[in-house]
Amino acid sequence: MAIIDYPALPQRERILKIAAQLFARHGYHAVGMSDLQKAVGLGRGALYHHIRSKEDLLYEILREYIQELGVTAESIRDAEADPTRRVALLGEHLVRKIASNQAELTVCFKELHSLSADRHSEVLGYHARYERIWRECMEEGARKGQFRPYSYIVFKGILGMYFYSYLWMQPNLPQAADDIAEHFVELTLRMLAP
């Protein structure tokens, strides 16, 4: 499968998109700077004008997508009072985010361990913040009698179902993301039903 180029994007964003595809396909450690240079069509000097290091690229990919998931989840939490509707919106957003940014989210899930310790901790903090919003929604729904009593196992099972869809999702199929989101939300609500 060919690397998708994004000529209309600013050069730095284009480099990040192409790097994410390379890291997702081959693994972070298997991609050298010469591979990235070739894929983006820039010489070494031009490439380093836009980035400082390969780890900086990885960090920016992970931070941007995990942080954005948290920001959107906070918006959903603040806008939707009903836990049932809120968990559905969280699920729909997560599926659509994975489908529209599959390479980036694949890198987020598979390459986090490749970051230096400080950056690793920072990104894990964003991830924990995101998971906390889901957990609080499930706990609130349980208190209101809309969901079963909160269970860590059910919580992790639901998030795992969403997170690991990057392994098999084929977002290029018509309606794929919408169909997956609909099925996942239905399963989620069944798992949470009192």
Side-chain angles (χ1 to χ4, degrees):
M1 181 180 285
I3 296 294
I4 300 169
D5 198 351
Y6 297 87
L9 289 179
Q11 191 70 281
R12 184 168 179 70
E13 289 177 46
R14 180 177 165 263
I15 292 168
L16 287 170
K17 294 291 258 179
I18 292 172
Q21 291 175 71
L22 291 171
F23 296 163
R25 185 171 302 159
H26 304 292
Y28 171 73
H29 293 290
V31 176
M33 290 306 284
S34 60
D35 299 316
L36 184 58
Q37 283 174 242
K38 186 186 295 184
V40 298
L42 294 175
R44 188 175 187 85
L47 182 60
Y48 279 105
H49 173 74
H50 297 284
I51 63 163
R52 290 192 332 238
S53 70
K54 189 170 90 165
E55 189 191 350
D56 283 353
L57 282 173
L58 179 64
Y59 169 70
E60 287 190 37
I61 292 165
L62 271 67
R63 183 179 51 86
E64 178 181 337
Y65 287 92
I66 296 295
Q67 198 171 31
E68 193 281 329
L69 282 173
V71 168
T72 301
E74 287 171 349
S75 297
I76 290 169
R77 177 198 61 205
D78 296 344
E80 182 54 64
D82 177 50
T84 300
R85 182 72 189 128
R86 192 178 329 139
V87 82
L89 292 170
L90 288 167
E92 290 167 1
H93 176 260
L94 182 53
V95 168
R96 289 190 181 100
K97 189 70 173 177
I98 292 170
S100 61
N101 299 280
Q102 194 167 12
E104 290 84 354
L105 273 292
T106 296
V107 173
C108 288
F109 295 127
K110 289 175 73 175
E111 299 293 348
L112 176 62
H113 66 279
S114 298
L115 289 175
S116 62
D118 288 348
R119 288 176 165 181
H120 184 269
S121 294
E122 179 186 342
V123 173
L124 278 180
Y126 294 132
H127 185 75
R129 183 178 88 187
Y130 178 71
E131 284 196 348
R132 186 171 40 254
I133 292 167
W134 276 84
R135 187 188 74 239
E136 289 169 354
C137 179
M138 291 177 189
E139 290 170 342
E140 181 184 346
R143 283 193 306 275
K144 291 181 173 181
Q146 292 175 258
F147 300 154
R148 68 173 52 215
Y150 172 78
S151 161
Y152 180 78
I153 294 169
V154 172
F155 163 68
K156 282 300 197 178
I158 288 170
L159 284 181
M161 174 180 72
Y162 284 99
F163 288 154
Y164 290 98
S165 65
Y166 81 89
L167 290 169
W168 54 265
M169 189 183 296
Q170 297 180 20
N172 55 334
L173 298 176
Q175 299 299 315
D178 290 340
D179 289 345
I180 293 167
E182 181 181 331
H183 282 67
F184 276 18
V185 168
E186 180 185 340
L187 288 168
T188 298
L189 294 177
R190 275 197 221 160
M191 286 189 270
L192 293 174

